[in-house]
Amino acid sequence: MMMQPLITRNDIAQYKQLSKTPNDAKLNEMILDAQLLDIQPLLGEKLFNAIMAAPESFAALLEGSIYEKDGISYTNYGLKMVLSYFTYARYMMFASVTDTPFSVVEKLNNDSRPVETATKKTIYQLNRDAAYKVWESVHNWLIRTSNEDYKKNCGVASTNQGMRFTKIG
């Protein structure tokens, strides 16, 4: 079974500035990575697999909503927004790296220069942090609506994970 992307370039563009291009291969790679490596651990295997099998059955989870619990209104920003931030982080960090028959390269031209690695790391981490903040609203919605498939122990407590870069040499 091939995994399908849950979001598109247009979904991400609702939250982040993303250039328009007909070539979505690299972006789709980042979406699939974010789904599998960022979203699946948060949702747990059972709920993740259910969403991937029938995303149309999970519109409230994916799109988000304002809902009430015990007379209080809350906002679930939606899994698509979380996924958009995770994908954007990955895209900013890794999209300029391209595999060629000769080596892995970073594309350059005479009119531009690449963003420094430190800047990319900062953009990456800030967007991952934002994704986790948005995730808290989704996590709370899953708990408050008593979603049976949600693995309770993989919620907000485990969101302090990050990526550490070490310079060698």
Side-chain angles (χ1 to χ4, degrees):
M1 176 182 97
M2 194 172 127
M3 185 168 39
Q4 296 299 313
L6 293 172
I7 60 172
T8 65
R9 179 178 292 278
N10 289 340
D11 291 318
I12 299 167
Q14 291 181 47
Y15 310 107
K16 294 293 182 180
Q17 188 275 318
L18 204 57
S19 65
K20 289 181 170 73
T21 174
N23 181 3
D24 278 341
K26 185 60 94 169
L27 182 62
N28 285 338
E29 176 188 330
M30 299 298 138
I31 291 170
L32 295 177
D33 283 355
Q35 285 175 194
L36 193 61
L37 303 174
D38 298 318
I39 297 297
Q40 195 265 2
L42 294 173
L43 291 173
E45 186 177 16
K46 187 175 182 183
L47 181 55
F48 179 77
N49 288 341
I51 293 166
M52 294 312 300
E56 65 281 355
S57 300
F58 294 90
L61 172 59
L62 291 168
E63 302 296 335
S65 63
I66 295 173
Y67 63 100
E68 285 208 15
K69 174 78 174 170
D70 301 326
I72 300 170
S73 289
Y74 297 97
T75 301
N76 164 20
Y77 291 104
L79 199 57
K80 282 187 175 185
M81 186 175 182
V82 178
L83 184 54
S84 292
Y85 277 86
F86 277 127
T87 299
Y88 186 78
R90 288 178 175 282
Y91 190 71
M92 289 294 105
M93 190 71 196
F94 305 114
S96 64
V97 177
T98 305
D99 179 37
T100 71
F102 308 103
S103 179
V104 176
V105 299
E106 186 167 38
K107 294 289 185 187
L108 302 174
N109 69 41
N110 293 335
D111 300 324
S112 66
R113 67 178 180 86
V115 173
E116 292 180 25
T117 302
T119 303
K120 283 177 156 181
K121 284 190 231 175
T122 300
I123 293 168
Y124 176 82
Q125 195 56 54
L126 288 173
N127 279 281
R128 289 184 61 81
D129 292 348
Y132 285 123
K133 291 306 282 179
V134 176
W135 162 250
E136 288 177 19
S137 79
V138 177
H139 164 79
N140 290 339
W141 180 82
L142 287 164
I143 297 295
R144 290 176 183 139
T145 59
S146 304
N147 185 294
E148 298 277 322
D149 293 333
Y150 180 51
K151 186 177 163 191
K152 307 294 188 278
N153 67 349
C154 60
V156 176
S158 67
T159 61
N160 261 344
Q161 53 190 307
M163 186 176 210
R164 175 169 225 137
F165 292 90
T166 306
K167 185 176 180 181
I168 301 172

